[in-house]
Structures are given as C-alpha cells and as structure tokens.
Amino acid sequence: MTTNRDSFLIDLLILLVVHILNPILPMNLKYSDFLQARDMAAFVATYPPLEQVTQVKGQTVKFQAVLEIPNHLEKEPWEVSLWYSRGEKSTKTDWTEAAFALVDQSHCPVSLHWPSEDDLSRLYFSVQLPQAELSSINFTVKFRQSREHSWRWVRDEHGLADGLVIIEKPNQKNNSDVGLPGLIHDLNPDLKWKSHVSQCPGTQLWSIGVPVEGAGDDKSTFATVPLGIPWGHFVRWFALIRDWSPWLAPRQGKSGFALDRDALLCSFLSFEGKHLVFLGISGPSDVTALFSSDQSGKLMIHIRNDNPNEKTGTVLVAVGDNFENANAAVMYHARGLGVASTPTAPEQDAGEQQLADEVKARWYETWYDGLGYCTWNSLGMKLTDEKLLNALDVLAKHNISISTLIIDDNWQDIDYSGSGQWQNRLNDFEAEPKAFPKGLRSLVSDIRSKHKNIQTIAVWHALLGYWGGVSPDGPLARRYKTIELARQDEDAERRNLPLGGKMIVIAKEDVSAFYNDYYRFLSSCGIDAVKTDAQFMMDTWTSASARSTLTRAYLDAWTIASLRHFSNRAISCMSQVPSIIFSSQMPRNRTPVVCRNSDDYFPDSPSSHPWHVWTNAHNALLTQHLNVIPDWDMFQTTGSRQHPSPSYASFHAAARCISGGPVYITDIPGQHDLILIKQITGPNPRNNRSVIFRPSVLGKTIEQYANYDDLTLLKVGAYHGRAATGTPILGVFNISNRYLVELLPVGPKYFSGVLDGVYYVVRSHSNGKVLGPVKVGGESEKLMTVGLGVAGWDILTAFPMEKFKRGDGKGELYVANLGLLGKMTGAAAILASRYSLQENGRVFVDVLVKALGILGIYISTLPDMEKESSVQEHLMVTIQGQPLPPHTVSVNKVDGHILEVDIETAWKELGLEAGWANEIEVKIYFPL
C-alpha cells in the first residue's frame, strides 16, 4: 500500500501512542499489520442479506453489496467476491466463486443514514447469477482492499453467518397435492387427523385430535404425544412460547428444534420455501394443547385436561407459500372452533340483552387515541393523592396534555397481611384511607375540575381482587361468598416471586354480583376505564375443577361489567394464557379490548429494552388475529436515571407509535423530553387534546425466523389507510450491541401493501431524507442503505404518488401527501387525500388530517417553481376554506421537493374553531 508522507507520519504517531498506552502489545508489530488493524473498520452488508433466509422469484438472482470503509481508503481497488453453493445438500467442493462488479455512483442505492459522514465512504457492488435449475443458494462474502492484501471473510470479520436464498419456481408442486403425512416426517400413526377447507387462499388446513383421560381427584391429567418432524428437516423454525404463566415470548432456531418452554404456536420453513404452522387450541372442553420438543428434535403435543371426562385435545396445521397466509389459516379456523364449541351462559345472554337496551349515542372515537399517563414507574408503589395531583400539575406546567390517566397499583384498600405485594388482599372497593383520605370520588372530582384535558380516568385492579385475592376478614368477604384455592409455585421459583400458597377468591355464584357492584362503585366515583391485571392467576390454581368452572365465570363477569359500566374501556393485563386467549380474546362479538402484548417495561434494566420491543413485535404475529388492540406497555421519555447511556427512550417511543396500539408515558414528574413527546402526539382542535397517530393495520415483525442474536435489524411493518391507496410503514430497530448497516429494497417484502406498477416516495423520519419517485415491481428493486448505531431506529414510510402527464414533452409530475412531518407515524394523521387536474390546468390536492402540525406535500416540480420565483406565487393554499398566511407555507430544508404547510400556526393566527368537525381540511392548488 502506498501512502503520502503526511499520512505515514500520522499513522506512525498513532502506532507509537498505542505502544505507550498498551505496553502489553508485541513490540515486533509491523507497520503493515497496524495499517490492516486500522482498516478493520470496513463493513460489508448484502441483499439478499447474510445470516437470513430470503425467498425470491424471477429468472436471475441479483446480489448487491455495500462496502463501508474509511474515507482515506475510498480510492483503493477494493474487491468483493460471492462464495456460493447450489442446493441444500451441497458439499465443500460444490462452492463456487463469483466476483462482484463495482456499481456506478449514479445507480447506487440511496443512503438514508450515515454513522459519520466525515469519516466513512460507501462503495456498492453487484453480481447476477442465472437461476438455471437452482432451488436454493447458500452464500457468503469475502473482500479485500487490493490484490496485494489478503481476503477477509465476513464470518471472521463481522460474525455474520451464511445467507440462504430459496428460489420459488412457478411450476412448484401445489399445496393441495400434498397430504399431512407428506409434510410431517414420521407422523405418529396413532393420531387422528382430517382435512378442512381453509379460509385463506393458497393454504391447506388440517386438524389433529389427541384423546386424553379425564381429570381425577381434582388433579389435571397430562399427556405428551409425539407428532413428527416437519419435512424430516427444515431451514428455520419459530415459536411463541409461554415464557411464564402470564406472558408469551418468541423463540427461533435453525435446523435443530429445541424448546425451553411449552409453545402455543410453531412454524417451520422448508428448503422449498413452504411454511408449516401449528397452533394448539385451548378452552373448548377444558383442554389445553401446547407443543414441546424431545431430545431428538421431534415436535411433541403436550395436553392438559381439566375436565373429569375423557376429552380430545386439538391442534391445527396449515401449510402455505408464506408465513402470514399459513398463520392466518389456523387462526381463522380457530375462531370458528371457539364460537361453535363454547356454550353461552344464560346470565351472559341476559347481560348482553340489557347492555343492548342501555346503549347510548356518543361521538365515535376510541379512548386510546389520546396520549396516556400511567403512575406505575413514575410515582412508584407508595401512591398517594398528593403525589398524583402533583404529577398532573407538573405535566400541565410542561404543557403535556394527556387524555387518559391510568391510576396503577397501590391505590386500593388492602390488608397488608402478607409478606409483600404478591400476598396482600383486597378489603373493599374504596381507595386506601390513609393515602387517599378524601376517597376516590373526591380525587377524581379534583382531577376533572382542574385538568379538563383528561377525558378518561382508569384504575388498576387484579382480576381476583388483589394479587392475593380478597381478605377473609374484610367487608368483601362478608358481602360475597368466597372459596379458598391453592396456587402452584412453579413460576414463583423461576421468577423469584412469592406467587404460591393459598388465596381467598369470590365464589362462582357471586362473581357477577361482585363485578357489577365493583364497577358501579367505580363509575359513581367518576372512573370510566379499568386496567384488569393478574388474570394469569387463575391458571396457577392447582384445582382442575376451579380452572374449569371459575375461569369462564370470571372472564364473563368482567367482560359484561366492563361493557355495561365502561363501554369496554378496559385493559386486559397478564392475560396471555391459552385458556384466556381463546375464550376471552378470540371472539369477535364485541368491540376490541386493549390487551397488554408482552411482559413489563423495566426502565432500569438496560438489556431488557431491545428484548421488550423484539418480543412485542413477534407476539403481534398472534395478537394481530385476536379481537384486541395490542398494548406494548408504558415507557419513559427520558430513559433511565440509573443507566442513561445509551438511552432507549425514543427507541420505545417509535415502537409504540408503529405498534398500532395505545401510547402512554410513565415519566417521573419533571423529567420529560418535550421534543420526543411532540414527535408522538399532535393537538386536535376540536377538544384541545393531544392525539396519537396509530396506523390502521397493527405493527408486527416481518422476519419471524430471524433470531434475537442475529446481526440484523428488527423490522416492524405496519400500514395505514385503505388497500391500494394506503401507506406502508416500516420501523427499523437496532437491537444488537454494535453498529449495523443493511440494504433494504422498496418492495412488498419490507413494505407490505405496496403495489406493482405504482410509484412511491419513501421518507425517513429520523433525518427527513427522501427516496423517490420509485416504481415498484420489475426484475430489479430499488434499494436503500440503512445504518443504525446501538439503540438506533428509524421509521420509513412509503407514500403512494399520484402521477400527472405534462404537455410539451415535460414529462410527469408526481404528488404525494406525506402527512404530518416531524411525527414518527405522521402518515397515520391522514384521513383522506384526493388529487385532480382542474379545467384551468392546475393540480388540486384536497387533504384531511386529524391533528394540527406541519403538513408535508411532495411535489416533483417544486424546485422548478422555486427557481422561477417564490413558491408562494405559484401556489394557493387554504385551511377550512380560508387562505393561509404566506409565511406558513415554505419549502423543506432537507429536500426541495417537499412543501411544508404549517397548519398549526395558521390555525392559531386565523383564529379558527373546529365546531363539530374533528378533522382539518387543507386544499392546495398549483400549476401543472
């Protein structure tokens, strides 16, 4: 390698400093060795990606690579080479080399992020392989600075494992030609299975029945039955396991199938690109079917029967060309099983009829569409009325307008008789007399009189009263019949929580009265929502008959009471229990209930933050098909005081925004990131409250087989709007402990809902950079380069564009509504967009949004307008029919194609009022 004199002296100086500061380094370290060590910062990423499985179609397979290197090495003759083998059974001698070619700068992917623009450069390479008779390609990459340097393998340099490309053939055997024995190797011949008509196109569906003996001596009966090995071998597997009693969590693996906990859902990917999904059914006939694995990696069915009679456990199986379709097939069929086999109690029929008679007209909006505040992590366990009122005053002082207040645990009147929170029991409905001396009604009255922005006040309670049930010596035990039940302590030992022992609960015959009285009292105090926690406790009872009879009684009573008194404004928590999922969260005969989607947010546990978001994104693969609004839990906008670096505050905020669920903060009073809060909320002029921007299609991971320890970005896909005209949204999160860079195509793999032949403009929230117009489809997809540091994230939104033909050979004009700029999911502020060409030759854009802020409109000819004269001279912009002040219309500083309309400032300066409407209409006219 040749260097100029200045670089040589600088490098030599650095080498001497290294030796001074690190005397243990060998003194015979050569200068060339030092230079190679210094240049180890080079990083390679590819598409299709290394370490992952990619399914492709087409006549050729195109590999593209980005090489990230220090600036001073950009002019070096870098070489990148693809090392690949054909087919799943290839040997070392079957591997072949193909050289990447350097891509001209004009055809390079758009770099949306730079770790440091002053220090690094990016070079792009590509190579194309003919498909021929290939069914799959294993590949890795090596690179070197020049022919005078040694090859460096990405596995050694970056720890990236080989990638796998599965090539989908158009004449590949159809699912309908394959029976279950052809999909599961060594299928247990004792199992009874039958085929069903799938409700999801392109899939095939079966059910498997397993008989199990009845429970005896009030003890459940268990059975573990071998099922088989999907296809005999597979590429990847994914499962949702019962991490502990209340919660589900993801697990992934490659060729070896090994579960550390029972799983509710399992999926396997074959070498032909088929997805085989298994779902265990729970609830009907008091039988729960789950999955486990044996030492040989065989899939096992694990069944529990709480019914005294012999019953049959049921497992559903579906195969399809993609995971989402196969997953939907088993979930759709499961809904039907629940409706057909679950008897309705007479009191439930009567309760629902009474509810129908009590229905009242009200403004159609969801209570969780506003910003919420929860007291749990913010105010701690020693809650008092003074602490609560002070916290709300501090929020108001900082102009943080919340719509929902959740008064979490420790407001209740409990007996404090146990060794701690988990053993304490509920005395009565009223608030704790010492901490809330004026009572709950007075507290709520004070809150509502002083903080008009708070529309919903919810209180926490455990499903069974409190963590330890109800107090045997309290007023509740005197008013209602109670029974004593024992709890198993399996989770108590594993989670180091005192969950075992006996507890007193309301008996079945009084459960409905208990809930009706409880919620009537809360409603009379001004409470209009509840957070019902600790629902899993029913699954810890050792009595089979109690689980069989009381579980349904409690869930029905809670559902009816929450509908009657709170119009279903309820949060179901610690309820990812199979029996609860299928009996309470699967039925679709009521409005969706908000349901916690994972274990808690732990602000002072740094390692838990990426895992929390990862778990929620994967659990959503199941909960997207339930009649729930997944709740990814509260978070703090300033991060942890104990572990301030790196801060995951915005990481959590972005995850909540793309989740499609509620967003509520739990900030310690006075510790708020106002800039971050502004990115997740916007003011609605009708009721002067802060609203959040929830995508209409829930966020979920789009790479279910990727492992948590893989060096890959977590990708969460969502969508907002109607089919064909809506907006795909992609959240990218670095859950690793190192910087990562990836190449992402603008196509249906990462932006679910994009359509072939349609033009899109993709915008990064984090830096405002834009890629587009991009036409989806064709042999080669447009790529983006995304690079994120530890705790890094971004939200990329693909906005559909309207195209207008211009005369005189001027080409086309492209327009897109970008929603509210500066909001993480500002696309979800869009209520409607209309584009038309008027008779006078001007383009007309009519936009409805749900909140105030800065509206962004992409206009491909905007730079040309600005060259001629000021933009204001070319455009006419109105809000609610009134012209906007000129200074509220400007051109975006990051991209000159984006028009910014400050509708918040215009609204205030024009003195506009919302009236009955809850949307803002903006009209824009400009020349073609």
Side-chain angles (χ1 to χ4, degrees), residues 11-31 34:
D11 292 337
L12 185 60
L13 178 61
I14 295 174
L15 180 61
L16 292 172
V17 171
V18 168
H19 274 299
I20 293 171
L21 298 179
N22 299 276
I24 61 172
L25 289 176
M27 290 306 296
N28 62 349
L29 181 68
K30 298 178 181 178
Y31 179 69
F34 163 71

Side-chain angles (χ1 to χ4, degrees), residues 139-216:
F139 72 96
T140 186
V141 170
K142 60 181 182 178
F143 62 98
R144 61 184 178 182
Q145 187 173 325
S146 69
R147 294 190 176 183
E148 286 71 40
H149 290 74
S150 300
W151 285 105
R152 294 154 64 179
W153 294 87
V154 291
R155 177 184 289 274
D156 300 329
E157 298 289 322
H158 314 321
L160 286 167
D162 296 353
L164 175 65
V165 175
I166 296 176
I167 302 168
E168 300 178 10
K169 300 290 186 179
N171 58 349
Q172 201 161 299
K173 195 172 185 180
N174 191 277
N175 291 337
S176 60
D177 300 329
V178 181
L180 196 58
L183 298 173
I184 303 176
H185 178 72
D186 198 21
L187 177 65
N188 188 341
D190 296 331
L191 297 177
K192 298 183 182 298
W193 57 274
K194 63 179 180 179
S195 178
H196 300 274
V197 176
S198 174
Q199 299 178 50
C200 193
T203 62
Q204 196 172 0
L205 177 72
W206 301 268
S207 65
I208 299 175
V210 182
V212 58
E213 294 180 358

